[in-house]
Amino acid sequence: MTALTASEEIVLEQPCPIRDVLDRIGDQWSLLILEALAPGTLRFNALMREIGDISKQMLSRTLKQLEQDGFITRTLYPEVPPRVEYTLTPLGHSFLEPMQQLVAWADTHHRTIVAARLRYQTAQTKP
Amino acid sequence: MTALTASEEIVLEQPCPIRDVLDRIGDQWSLLILEALAPGTLRFNALMREIGDISKQMLSRTLKQLEQDGFITRTLYPEVPPRVEYTLTPLGHSFLEPMQQLVAWADTHHRTIVAARLRYQTAQTKP
DNA sequence: TTTATACGGTCTAAAATGTAGACCTTTAGA
DNA sequence: TCTAAAGGTCTACATTTTAGACCGTATAAA
C-alpha cells in the first residue's frame, strides 16, 4: 500500500464542500484581497498598500492559495524590476456576488453588534 | 491623558464594519457553530458532537464571542450536573440568510475549485 | 561614483494563536 | 467504592502569523 500523493490527500481531506471552501476564504485575508481586486487588476505592492496591515509573507501566501483555487490569476511580466499583476477570474467574480450580501449585512448590523459588545462588557465588569 | 478603557478600544480599533464583523465570523469555527444552531437550541456537548473536531477550549471561547456580539444567547440552568443551552438570536438568524447564499455558492462551485487545485498541483510538479 | 529606491518576493526568529488532554465540581447509578 | 456525566478551565505543546532583514537588478538622485 503506497502513501497518498499530495493532491489525493487534498481531495480526500475535506469531505464537506462548505468547510473546504470557507476554511480557505474565511482566513482573515482572502476576503480582503478578493474585495480589493473587485474593481480591477492590481500589482503586489498596490495590494499591500490597499489592504494596509497585511505582511508581505501572508499576502504572498494567500495570493498563492487564491490562485491555486482558481479565484485569481497571476501574470508575471519579465521586466526589470519585475511586474506582477493579480486579477479576479470569473470564479472569483462570481464568488463576490454572494459576498456582497454579507458585506451589506455587516454594514447594516455593525452598530447593533458594537452595541451588544458594549452591553456585554458593562454586564461583566459591574454585575 | 488617561488610557482608553477596554470597551473604548474595541470600538475604536476597527473602523471598517466589514472587517470588524468578518474578523469575528471568519475564524474557522464561528460559522460552523452558527450553522449548527440554525435548526434550534443545542447544549455544549451536543455542539461538540455536532461539529466533531473542535476542541472544548475553542468551542467555549468562540461561544463566548458569539454571545458577546449578540449572535447567540447562553442560558444556564442551575441544575446538577449543569445544563447550558445555546440559541440563535434574531441577529444570528438574520446573519444566516446572506450566509446561506455563500453556502449555496460553495456547494455549486466546490468541484470547480477542487479541479483548479489539482491542475495547479500538476502544473507545479511537472513544469 | 556612491547611494537610494522600487519591484516582488523569501527567510528567520519571535510572538500570537490553536490543540489535546488532564483536571474540577457535584450528583446519580452500579 | 468507583464511574460517568455535565460544562467548562488550565497547562504544555504545536502550529500559524508577524516583523523585519535580505536578495537581485536597474534607474534616478546626490
Side-chain angles (χ1 to χ4, degrees), chain B residues 1-110:
Chain B
M1 199 65 166
T2 61
L4 292 174
T5 67
S7 51
E8 282 168 339
E9 269 176 28
I10 287 184
V11 175
L12 294 176
E13 233 164 51
Q14 291 286 355
C16 172
I18 289 92
R19 293 196 64 165
D20 189 19
V21 173
L22 293 180
D23 276 5
R24 272 295 167 81
I25 241 49
D27 76 337
Q28 192 88 191
W29 296 123
S30 296
L31 221 81
L32 256 30
I33 292 175
L34 293 180
E35 297 267 1
L37 289 176
T41 297
L42 283 179
R43 298 171 64 174
F44 189 88
N45 282 341
L47 269 169
M48 288 230 43
R49 281 188 294 271
E50 191 73 20
I51 296 175
D53 56 348
I54 189 173
S55 66
K56 284 180 166 207
Q57 187 163 101
M58 283 313 289
L59 179 54
S60 172
R61 206 184 291 172
T62 310
L63 284 169
K64 228 172 262 173
Q65 292 183 348
L66 291 174
E67 190 198 356
Q68 180 177 195
D69 285 7
F71 286 89
I72 62 176
T73 57
R74 176 184 188 275
T75 312
L76 165 66
Y77 298 87
E79 307 167 355
V80 172
R83 182 159 55 101
V84 181
E85 291 188 343
Y86 293 94
T87 309
L88 285 185
T89 61
L91 184 73
H93 275 292
S94 91
F95 173 77
L96 283 181
E97 290 173 28
M99 259 331 287
Q100 297 305 345
Q101 312 263 23
L102 247 204
V103 170
W105 186 95
D107 236 356
T108 304
H109 296 84
H110 184 230

Side-chain angles (χ1 to χ4, degrees), chain A residues 5-110:
Chain A
T5 65
S7 51
E8 284 168 337
E9 270 175 28
I10 286 183
V11 174
L12 294 176
E13 234 164 52
Q14 291 285 354
C16 171
I18 289 91
R19 291 196 66 164
D20 189 19
V21 172
L22 293 180
D23 276 6
R24 272 295 168 79
I25 242 51
D27 76 336
Q28 191 88 191
W29 297 122
S30 296
L31 220 81
L32 255 31
I33 293 175
L34 293 179
E35 298 268 1
L37 289 176
T41 296
L42 283 179
R43 298 172 64 173
F44 188 89
N45 281 341
L47 269 169
M48 290 230 42
R49 281 187 294 271
E50 192 71 20
I51 296 176
D53 57 347
I54 189 173
S55 67
K56 285 181 166 204
Q57 189 164 99
M58 283 313 289
L59 179 55
S60 172
R61 204 184 292 172
T62 310
L63 284 169
K64 228 171 263 172
Q65 293 182 347
L66 291 175
E67 190 198 356
Q68 181 176 195
D69 285 8
F71 287 89
I72 61 176
T73 57
R74 176 184 187 275
T75 312
L76 165 66
Y77 298 87
E79 308 166 352
V80 172
R83 181 159 56 102
V84 180
E85 291 187 344
Y86 294 93
T87 310
L88 285 185
T89 61
L91 184 73
H93 274 293
S94 90
F95 173 79
L96 283 181
E97 290 174 28
M99 259 331 286
Q100 296 308 343
Q101 312 262 23
L102 246 203
V103 170
W105 186 94
D107 237 355
T108 304
H109 295 85
H110 184 231

